[in-house]
Amino acid sequence: MASPGNFNDTLYRLYEHYVGEPESSKDVYGYWVFILGCLIAFVGLVAFLVMYGGGAMETDYIKVAGILGMIALTLCLFGIVLMLPVRKRGIQASVLGMLIAFAGVSSFGIVYPDDWRMYGGDYTIPVITTYAAGIAVLAGITALIPAITGQKGKYVAEEGATEDPPVLTGDALDGAQFAAFRDEDGDWQWRILHLEALAASMEGSLTRPDAEADIEAVKSEIGSAGLMELTTSAFRLYETADGEWQWTLVREDGSVVARCGDAFADRDGAEEAVSFLKDRGPVADVIEIEDAAFNYYEERDRWHWQLLDDERRALAVSPTDYGSKADAEAGASSFVEDFEDAGLLSMDEVGIELLDTHEGWTWRVVDTDDVELATAEDAYDSRRDAEAAVEALLPALEEAAVTVAGEPTYELFTAGHEWRWRLVGRNERVVARNPNTAGTYQEIEETTDRFAENVEDADVFEIDGARYERYRIGEDWRWRLVTEDRSVIAASTEPHQSADAAQAAIERMREQADEADLIEFEQSAFQVYEADQGEWRWRLIDEDGNVLADSGAEHGSKSEAAEAMMTLKEQAPNAELLEIETAAFELFVDDGDWGWRLIDDGGKLIAEDPGSHPTRGAARQAMDQLVENLDTESRTMEAAAFQTYVSGDDWNWRFVLPDGTVVAENEEAASTRDQIESEIERIRAVASSAGRSRIGDVFVQIYGSDAWRFRLLDRDRTPVATGADTYDDRDAVHEAVDELTSAASEAPIFQIEDAVIRLTNGSGWSWELIDSDRTVLGRSGITAESRETATELIDELRHLAPLAGRVDFDVASYELVSRESGWSWRLIDENGAVVAECAELFETTDGARSSIEDTRDLIPSASILEIDGVSFELHDSGDGWVWRLVDEHGETMSESTKSYQHRTDAREAMTAVKVHAPDGWIEFTE
């Protein structure tokens, strides 16, 4: 009987003989389990055919075939799981699935056919479900889970993830590996291998075939790569994949000393550069710039200057060219003199420049491109006066209103602390204004509204001497007697219910005043009078006409009133006794001011002086004016109206509201009545629809038709400044005005005396030194990212320029360059173009100087080689020496995975790669 060990060996040997070298024991077991499943399936098929042909019962051969087939499928799937790279947890889950499937098989053998499909207990669904669950576990682990989730890490092991050392997977640069192999007797032996990553690819490949092709290309070229054939230093010329030519200077050991500054369009250009280096490199001087220095150079027979810092950045350059070197030196000297004391001018959008002209001081608005936007209209006696005018203008300009010439507009403005308005017509004439002021903007707005709302339908009337006017306030009517200049001679003392009632009051006042006597009091007096209802009263009046006492009661007859009065008279024995038989005018004084009133024959006040007068004579004169105009005409003031009148020899108008308020008057007088009436008609046409604008100390007016312009006007409409440019349409001039007003508050005020540094922002912040004629004396050679950085550069230049020395770049010169990791050098020609750059870095300037000396020694004996194949290069990376494998185009195919302390170490590693890489095998890991 064979032992388990012999049986196991037999399985292994059969697998190795018929299949191949197994990677693990589960590959062997999986294979044989799969074969077993296939054999059981075959036996099940044969049993089905034999029993079916032998006439056995249907249930018998179905049962046998079903059990064998179910077992066969289960074993086949489990065998596949074992052959796949499945993790331990996957094997465990598969075993569980196989057991569940076998449970389903056993259940089928028990319940079929007595309790199968519509017989007995009918356990068809539970049995099939149990078996299907087991099969699903097996199938899911092997195929479905990786396919659905896209992950095979949970149950299926990643290929080679645990078998390959980190050096092969790119996770380490060196490591060890056990190599197992069969000896000549067929027994397994093993060795420990030291693995080290010597080189790495420069770029990744999208696919495995691409990577394999790149590796094959390196393997085929690396053995024949150059370097080993070099016996002296050499210039290596090569054409890049882009069709450009470059060169490198290498030592005899292949290490790169220098490379070209720029690529060349053709080989001739590269060879000329090498020839230049061979001619000039050995004798070129080393130049150094301490802080800053001026460089003068010739270009196309014209001379230029530039101010360089110690990093050879051009802080300043000449704005133009010069005919000779002496002229360039004079230009640089002039630049230094002007730059040191020049002011800094920084404009965001616009600036205000003060100018000294033959007419006096004036100013203008310019933008960042020095384009004149507007010029002042006036000249000033001194610079300070011009500056003060601008300082007052700029804050007002920021919120300046914008009006359009030719469009009727109510302009509302302040006069001191009060508000006024004026109406500007289509011809830019002021055609109306308010005669009175208002305390607030809202009040002045209301007056314009009242004028605009009533102007179209307003009547036109004239007052010859004086006229009675009946007018309504609310529901009550009143009357007044006004003169041509709107002075009120007399006014009603009480309201009336209608215009007719007011007219009746006027008639009564006329009758009473016509018969009225003038009562002038020398001393106090008693009056007895009959009231409206026929009752009698008395009152005591002092010498100023003031009522001191009143009867306070009504009496049936005159005698009763007199008797009651006499009781009080005993207390005022000197008072006169007056009996009122007719109406009377009374002159009286109140708080030092005189006035008059009309008392009818019943003692009732029917008219009074609407004003006050400083003297009795003035009050009496006003009373006489009433008497003189008693019989004048009367009109009803139900709506606002234009009143025309003559002042001197000219005609004028005023706009009167029903309550007598004058809200508008003409600006200019007319010579005839017809002219003033025509003017009123023109005002009707514009006043009702005119716009409204709130005017400050200054406002902007745009004007034009085909070509548009703008100007600044002050509160009195006096021109302050005029725009210098014209615009194609109204929108364009509006946009220009908006830009000007929005930038006004930040606009600097400046004057160019000798020179000024103008800071501008284009693609970056830069500056120009300009004089008063806008001649550029110098400009920045570099741009800054921000205003602050540009200002710092200017401050630095103010310090460096006066101390700057002079450097003369010969036909070729070496220049020490500071890098982030150390010092290097470059060779430049007389125009400052970089001819060659050092390929190495040094910790100090002494190391860079030593490299220059070595380069001088290498150049004369260096040969010129054209690279037509793959070659090695040694480089100093700053952290150590590295090697690279470059193709015929100078593109790096591979490089060392680490840097070496010494050049010989890097060379030895490179040699090892060159010797062993052509025969190296390719192994892919994921």
Side-chain angles (χ1 to χ4, degrees):
M1 181 177 179
S3 65
N6 293 334
F7 179 73
N8 197 44
D9 291 342
T10 301
L11 292 179
Y12 266 83
R13 294 188 181 278
L14 289 174
Y15 184 90
E16 291 175 355
H17 182 75
Y18 292 106
V19 179
E21 189 73 30
E23 294 185 4
S24 64
S25 59
K26 69 182 184 68
D27 289 346
V28 177
Y29 297 138
Y31 174 77
W32 291 116
V33 169
F34 179 77
I35 295 298
L36 178 60
C38 292
L39 291 175
I40 294 174
F42 179 75
V43 171
L45 176 61
V46 171
F48 176 81
L49 294 175
V50 170
M51 295 178 71
Y52 181 79
M57 294 182 63
E58 180 181 359
T59 56
D60 293 336
Y61 60 73
I62 290 179
K63 184 174 183 177
V64 173
I67 292 173
L68 293 176
M70 294 168 70
I71 293 174
L73 177 60
T74 304
L75 291 176
C76 286
L77 288 177
F78 183 67
I80 293 174
V81 169
L82 293 178
M83 287 188 290
L84 290 174
V86 179
R87 295 182 186 272
K88 184 177 181 180
R89 70 181 67 175
I91 300 297
Q92 294 170 347
S94 298
V95 171
L96 177 61
M98 182 177 64
L99 294 177
I100 294 173
F102 283 157
V105 174
S106 301
S107 300
F108 175 75
I110 295 172
V111 302
Y112 187 83
D114 297 333
D115 293 311
W116 195 256
R117 193 176 181 188
M118 302 176 67
Y119 292 95
D122 192 0
Y123 295 109
T124 305
I125 298 302
V127 171
I128 293 178
T129 301
T130 302
Y131 180 76
I135 295 300
V137 172
L138 291 169
I141 291 173
T142 57
L144 295 181
I145 290 179
I148 294 175
T149 64
Q151 300 176 354
K152 60 180 181 178
K154 186 172 184 180
Y155 293 107
V156 181
E158 295 182 13
E159 193 74 42
T162 60
E163 298 177 358
D164 295 320
V167 67
L168 293 182
T169 60
D171 297 325
L173 295 179
D174 63 306
Q177 184 178 16
F178 287 87
F181 59 94
R182 290 184 184 274
D183 59 14
E184 57 187 14
D185 297 328
D187 297 328
W188 286 94
Q189 302 284 343
W190 58 267
R191 293 173 182 168
I192 297 178
L193 305 180
H194 174 238
L195 304 178
E196 180 181 4
L198 297 179
S201 60
M202 297 303 298
E203 297 180 353
S205 302
L206 294 177
T207 64
R208 176 168 171 166
D210 291 340
E212 192 168 2
D214 291 341
I215 294 173
E216 293 296 342
V218 171
K219 290 178 63 176
S220 63
E221 299 286 351
I222 200 169
S224 60
L227 180 65
M228 300 303 295
E229 289 77 11
L230 291 178
T231 58
T232 61
S233 59
F235 288 97
R236 301 170 65 176
L237 277 66
Y238 57 90
E239 184 180 12
T240 67
D242 297 331
E244 296 180 328
W245 284 82
Q246 297 185 3
W247 60 260
T248 57
L249 174 62
V250 297
R251 298 183 180 92
E252 60 186 20
D253 61 2
S255 58
V256 179
V257 179
R259 60 174 60 90
C260 60
D262 294 312
F264 302 91
D266 50 35
R267 174 173 177 158
D268 292 342
E271 288 184 342
E272 289 177 4
V274 171
S275 298
F276 178 86
L277 186 60
K278 288 180 70 67
D279 292 341
R280 301 295 180 180
V283 297
D285 292 330
V286 180
I287 61 172
E288 290 186 80
I289 299 176
E290 295 184 3
D291 295 331
F294 279 98
N295 173 44
Y296 304 94
Y297 61 94
E298 187 178 15
E299 188 176 84
R300 296 180 181 178
D301 298 329
R302 304 293 293 177
W303 284 87
H304 305 262
W305 61 261
Q306 55 184 188
L307 181 59
L308 307 176
D309 64 3
D310 53 2
E311 297 180 3
R312 207 169 166 275
R313 296 182 304 169
L315 300 180
V317 297
S318 57
T320 185
D321 50 27
Y322 302 89
S324 65
K325 188 175 184 179
D327 292 341
E329 291 175 346
S333 177
S334 177
F335 165 78
V336 173
E337 293 177 2
D338 292 327
F339 190 86
E340 185 176 7
D341 298 325
L344 179 62
L345 173 60
S346 177
M347 292 189 298
D348 287 332
E349 296 183 40
V350 298
I352 313 296
E353 182 182 6
L354 304 179
L355 302 172
D356 186 9
T357 67
H358 64 279
E359 296 179 353
W361 284 88
T362 185
W363 55 266
R364 64 175 182 170
V365 183
V366 295
D367 64 8
T368 54
D369 295 327
D370 215 26
V371 176
E372 186 176 82
L373 302 180
T375 56
E377 291 289 334
D378 295 331
Y380 303 88
D381 295 334
S382 66
R383 181 178 65 180
R384 180 57 195 141
D385 291 341
E387 184 179 11
V390 174
E391 289 174 347
L393 169 67
L394 292 182
L397 188 60
E398 184 178 9
E399 298 180 356
V402 179
T403 63
V404 181
E407 294 184 359
T409 305
Y410 290 98
E411 295 179 350
L412 284 61
F413 58 95
T414 56
H417 297 291
E418 300 293 322
W419 284 90
R420 303 182 68 93
W421 64 260
R422 57 181 172 243
L423 175 60
V424 181
R426 291 190 176 91
N427 56 1
E428 277 304 291
R429 288 177 45 242
V430 177
V431 296
R433 67 171 64 246
N434 66 317
N436 304 309
T437 60
T440 65
Y441 180 75
Q442 290 72 23
E443 292 177 6
I444 203 68
E445 272 189 317
E446 291 176 1
T447 62
T448 60
D449 290 340
R450 298 174 74 179
F451 181 50
E453 292 168 359
N454 294 282
V455 68
E456 284 188 302
D457 300 325
D459 294 333
V460 180
F461 71 95
E462 181 183 348
I463 296 178
D464 186 9
R467 174 175 289 188
Y468 291 101
E469 292 179 348
R470 304 183 301 277
Y471 63 97
R472 184 167 58 185
I473 299 178
E475 298 298 328
D476 298 325
W477 285 83
R478 294 180 176 272
W479 64 264
R480 60 179 172 251
L481 178 61
V482 297
T483 61
E484 185 179 38
D485 61 0
R486 301 302 301 176
S487 297
V488 181
I489 299 174
S492 58
T493 58
E494 59 183 12
H496 306 282
Q497 295 182 351
S498 64
D500 292 339
Q503 181 63 36
I506 293 173
E507 296 300 332
R508 183 182 177 194
M509 188 275 296
R510 284 174 171 170
E511 295 174 359
Q512 296 291 324
D514 192 43
E515 299 176 356
D517 296 328
L518 174 61
I519 300 177
E520 298 185 77
F521 301 99
E522 299 294 337
Q523 57 186 10
S524 59
F526 285 98
Q527 286 182 334
V528 178
Y529 61 93
E530 184 179 12
D532 291 341
Q533 304 299 326
E535 71 278 12
W536 287 85
R537 292 175 176 273
W538 63 265
R539 62 187 174 190
L540 176 61
I541 301 174
D542 66 11
E543 64 273 16
D544 293 328
N546 298 317
V547 178
L548 302 177
D550 189 273
S551 61
E554 300 175 353
H555 302 280
S557 63
K558 182 177 181 180
S559 59
E560 291 180 4
E563 183 178 350
M565 178 190 66
M566 294 306 294
T567 302
L568 181 61
K569 190 176 187 307
E570 294 176 357
Q571 305 298 324
N574 296 326
E576 296 182 6
L577 178 60
L578 300 175
E579 294 186 14
I580 298 179
E581 300 291 342
T582 62
F585 285 103
E586 294 179 352
L587 297 179
F588 63 92
V589 65
D590 183 15
D591 291 335
D593 292 326
W594 285 87
W596 60 262
R597 57 181 170 236
L598 177 61
I599 307 298
D600 66 7
D601 52 8
K604 182 178 179 181
L605 179 64
I606 60 174
E608 64 180 351
D609 194 343
S612 59
H613 310 280
T615 63
R616 181 194 296 267
R620 180 163 185 170
Q621 184 178 357
M623 181 194 69
D624 292 340
Q625 191 176 15
L626 168 63
V627 174
E628 292 172 359
N629 293 280
L630 282 177
D631 296 329
T632 190
E633 296 180 0
S634 175
R635 71 183 303 272
T636 301
M637 287 281 291
E638 292 191 84
F642 286 95
Q643 178 197 339
T644 60
Y645 64 95
V646 176
S647 177
D649 293 331
D650 296 323
W651 283 85
N652 300 274
W653 62 262
R654 61 173 66 96
F655 194 75
V656 185
L657 299 179
D659 62 2
T661 303
V662 178
V663 296
E665 63 183 7
N666 61 291
E667 174 72 9
E668 298 178 0
S671 57
T672 65
R673 184 198 301 271
D674 290 342
Q675 287 181 352
I676 200 66
E677 289 180 351
S678 297
E679 181 67 19
I680 290 173
E681 294 306 315
R682 283 192 292 270
I683 291 173
R684 290 185 198 274
V686 300
S688 61
S689 60
R692 185 163 56 201
S693 182
R694 182 171 179 168
I695 302 301
D697 292 337
V698 66
F699 66 98
V700 183
Q701 183 185 73
I702 62 176
Y703 60 96
S705 54
D706 295 335
W708 287 81
R709 303 187 69 180
F710 72 88
R711 59 189 171 200
L712 305 182
L713 306 177
D714 65 12
R715 190 194 317 273
D716 298 326
R717 297 185 63 79
T718 301
V720 176
T722 302
D725 202 359
T726 58
Y727 304 88
D728 295 335
D729 52 47
R730 181 167 167 172
D731 291 338
V733 70
H734 253 298
E735 182 178 351
V737 169
D738 289 342
E739 292 176 355
L740 174 61
T741 55
S742 62
S745 61
E746 302 297 330
I749 304 173
F750 67 94
Q751 178 204 354
I752 303 177
E753 296 184 20
D754 296 322
V756 68
I757 303 170
R758 182 172 60 188
L759 195 61
T760 58
N761 183 19
S763 57
W765 288 89
S766 59
W767 56 263
E768 288 181 335
L769 180 68
I770 59 175
D771 62 14
S772 57
D773 295 328
R774 293 307 194 272
T775 301
V776 180
L777 307 177
R779 56 170 53 98
S780 58
I782 57 177
T783 57
E785 295 181 356
S786 65
R787 185 201 304 265
E788 291 73 17
T789 304
T791 304
E792 292 174 0
L793 289 173
I794 292 172
D795 292 338
E796 179 184 1
L797 189 56
R798 288 185 193 274
H799 170 70
L800 295 176
L803 304 177
R806 169 176 173 165
V807 293
D808 287 323
F809 293 101
D810 202 348
V811 177
S813 305
Y814 289 101
E815 181 181 24
L816 299 181
V817 181
S818 175
R819 307 291 188 189
E820 292 183 0
S821 303
W823 286 87
S824 183
W825 58 262
R826 59 188 177 190
L827 182 69
I828 57 176
D829 62 15
E830 70 275 16
N831 297 322
V834 178
V835 178
E837 291 182 319
C838 180
E840 302 170 328
L841 287 174
F842 307 93
E843 293 182 357
T844 64
T845 56
D846 292 338
R849 290 178 183 274
S850 298
S851 176
I852 292 174
E853 295 300 327
D854 291 342
T855 303
R856 284 173 172 163
D857 295 338
L858 290 174
I859 290 176
S861 59
S863 59
I864 301 177
L865 303 175
E866 181 180 345
I867 297 178
D868 54 4
V870 179
S871 61
F872 284 100
E873 291 182 350
L874 287 176
H875 293 268
D876 183 1
S877 65
D879 297 329
W881 287 87
V882 297
W883 61 262
R884 294 174 185 164
L885 181 66
V886 297
D887 62 12
E888 67 274 16
H889 300 302
E891 299 292 335
T892 302
M893 302 175 65
S894 179
E895 68 176 1
S896 59
T897 56
K898 64 180 182 180
S899 49
Y900 300 87
Q901 183 176 2
H902 301 290
R903 183 189 302 170
T904 54
D905 295 336
R907 181 183 175 89
E908 289 177 0
M910 179 193 69
T911 303
V913 171
K914 179 178 176 64
V915 171
H916 299 293
D919 300 323
W921 71 90
I922 303 173
E923 181 172 346
F924 287 91
T925 61
E926 294 185 1

